[in-house]
Amino acid sequence: MNLIIMAIESSCDETSVAIIHNKKILSNIINSQKIHKNYGGVIPELASRNHQKIIISIINKALKNAKIKLNQLNAIAFTRGPGLLGSLLIGASFAKSISLSLKIPLISINHIHAHILSNFINKPKPKFPFLCCIVSGGHTQIIIIRNYLCANKIGETKDDAIGEAIDKISKLININYPGGAILDIYAKYGNKNKFKFPITIVPRLNFSFSGIKTAFLYFLKKNKKKNKNFIKKNKFNICASIQESIIETLINKLKKAIKQTNIKYITIGGGVASNSRLKNKLTKLSGNKIKIFIPNSQYCIDNAGMIAMTAYYKYLNNKFSNLKTCIVPKNL
Ligand code: KG4
Ligand code: ZN
């Protein structure tokens, strides 16, 4: 079989286009919009305007890097949701236009499904069934994956997503949005045991990250009263300590999920999966029985490579969409 698919990801503030040839990613161009830094979070209106402005050049770059011509494509895929309405509409409209003009099948993709299957881009690959912990700016879930197209969610956050909490905490200590990657770097220079933060106990395999965010705010207020330079003087220790509490919460729930399900193959996905402390702690979990799989960083953040990989498996299973397919901004 000789299958070439183009995939478009535009669910939030990354405009990304990838080309896949069978199971091999030929190109994966990601443009992260910088403008949102000025506002401390993603502004939906600006995100969609930027997708519109840049998408043609990203498509051309993806084709050029893959050394593929538009008329060689066998299918076109796009992110259907969850995500921002205006942003999703840009990717969906472009994909539909390409499908219509080239007369090729259209494949719609669930963004979370794609974060899970990002684990099949690099080697080694997990075996079914496996557990996947999705950790991103919009989601925190534990899912059992039974095959390429079948999954059951067994735990999720009841309030903030992990990345959302990390970004809000970062903002409180003057780290620009999205703060996760910088907080991770600062944490490397700090003492993770310097400060202690309360962890919200949530039943079953669910999470809550809004409590720690509020506790962090009060911790800063109290200490700034005593010393107005508290943040500046303790930045690295603060980052290391708060990161440790958040990652520890995640690892504890993952251990509980492993025990409950008896599943030995563990994967992660989403932007927070590039966190060095999380990777470090996960690696320590692996042993004779447990096997851990972590996607390469370019496939952790929002990217079209993971959309393309998911589209490949949907194509093999004849799961096509049509021009009437609507985007779904909320969780599918
Ligand atoms: O998957 P993603 O690109 O977008 C969503 O689907 O939400 O994830 C973005 C999130 C942001 O919250 C960002 O701060 C976080 O991933 N992130 C990190 C790191 N790199 C990105 N969080 C912690 N440590 C990192 N190294
Ligand atoms: Zn994502």
Side-chain angles (χ1 to χ4, degrees):
M1 194 186 48
N2 209 14
L3 182 57
I4 300 173
I5 304 174
M6 175 189 276
I8 301 175
E9 154 64 32
S10 68
S11 63
C12 192
D13 56 342
E14 263 88 25
T15 317
S16 181
V17 179
I19 312 281
I20 194 168
H21 177 209
N22 296 333
K23 274 184 271 184
K24 187 167 184 257
I25 303 283
L26 300 182
S27 64
N28 181 39
I29 310 297
I30 305 168
N31 178 72
S32 297
Q33 302 175 0
K34 302 282 179 292
I35 189 155
H36 308 286
K37 277 193 195 331
N38 305 333
Y39 303 91
V42 177
I43 308 293
E45 171 77 15
L46 293 178
S48 42
R49 281 171 190 257
N50 268 277
H51 286 305
Q52 184 177 246
K53 216 190 242 174
I54 201 166
I55 194 162
I56 296 267
S57 66
I58 302 292
I59 288 175
N60 287 336
K61 210 167 171 185
L63 285 166
K64 192 172 169 213
N65 283 16
K67 299 191 175 63
I68 292 290
K69 298 261 179 291
L70 209 49
N71 62 10
Q72 287 178 274
L73 298 179
N74 303 109
I76 174 87
F78 69 99
T79 305
R80 188 180 180 205
L84 301 171
L85 182 128
S87 293
L88 289 167
L89 274 176
I90 306 291
S93 308
F94 267 86
K96 286 180 184 179
S97 314
I98 292 171
S99 163
L100 193 62
S101 60
L102 297 179
K103 297 186 177 57
I104 54 173
L106 183 67
I107 306 172
S108 66
I109 303 291
N110 176 330
H111 184 84
I112 305 292
H113 188 189
H115 270 307
I116 297 167
L117 294 196
S118 65
N119 283 285
F120 288 95
I121 297 177
N122 309 116
K123 283 182 184 158
K125 300 174 202 290
K127 289 193 178 120
F128 299 112
F130 62 85
L131 285 180
C132 184
C133 188
I134 294 296
V135 280
S136 73
H139 305 274
T140 312
Q141 301 181 352
I142 303 181
I143 306 164
I144 301 179
I145 320 300
R146 305 197 183 275
N147 62 47
Y148 292 111
L149 302 182
C150 174
N152 303 102
K153 185 167 65 186
I154 54 170
E156 66 184 335
T157 181
K158 292 297 169 195
D159 40 56
D160 287 3
I162 187 168
E164 186 185 356
I166 291 176
D167 291 342
K168 286 177 180 165
I169 280 169
S170 305
K171 199 173 162 189
L172 293 172
I173 48 172
N174 311 318
I175 299 176
N176 274 348
Y177 175 86
I182 303 289
L183 185 125
D184 186 7
I185 295 169
Y186 287 174
K188 290 193 176 112
Y189 301 101
N191 172 1
K192 62 182 172 19
N193 301 314
K194 181 79 184 168
F195 306 110
K196 284 271 166 267
F197 297 97
I199 291 172
T200 315
I201 311 287
V202 190
R204 295 182 283 276
L205 295 170
N206 295 321
F207 301 92
S208 163
F209 291 103
S210 83
I212 196 165
K213 194 187 63 191
T214 314
F216 187 75
L217 178 69
Y218 285 113
F219 159 83
L220 287 184
K221 272 191 180 161
K222 195 179 90 192
N223 283 289
K224 276 199 304 194
K225 244 186 207 168
K226 289 187 215 155
N227 173 3
K228 66 177 173 32
N229 289 324
F230 176 74
I231 296 180
K232 215 171 175 184
K233 282 199 166 155
N234 293 280
K235 203 163 210 167
F236 295 154
N237 290 337
I238 296 172
C239 289
S241 304
I242 190 75
Q243 175 175 275
E244 192 63 17
S245 297
I246 293 173
I247 300 300
E248 188 65 22
T249 313
L250 198 74
I251 293 286
N252 286 343
K253 276 286 151 95
L254 208 44
K255 280 184 186 163
K256 193 172 171 184
I258 295 170
K259 206 169 163 196
Q260 270 184 23
T261 60
N262 212 19
I263 291 176
K264 310 285 183 229
Y265 289 86
I266 316 300
T267 67
I268 51 170
V272 183
S274 13
N275 182 272
S276 58
R277 185 68 185 139
L278 174 59
K279 289 201 252 189
N280 184 274
K281 286 194 146 229
L282 276 173
T283 313
K284 282 189 189 145
L285 275 187
S286 71
N288 277 349
K289 288 187 183 152
I290 310 284
K291 294 220 170 350
I292 305 288
F293 302 83
I294 303 172
N296 287 355
S297 284
Q298 65 160 317
Y299 300 117
C300 286
I301 58 160
D302 286 351
N303 69 92
M306 66 183 192
I307 306 296
M309 185 51 88
T310 312
Y312 170 80
Y313 287 109
K314 284 192 87 170
Y315 189 106
L316 295 191
N317 287 278
N318 292 315
K319 300 276 183 205
F320 299 111
S321 298
N322 59 46
L323 297 177
K324 286 186 187 154
T325 304
C326 293
I327 54 147
V328 185
K330 282 194 294 191
N331 272 342
L332 301 180

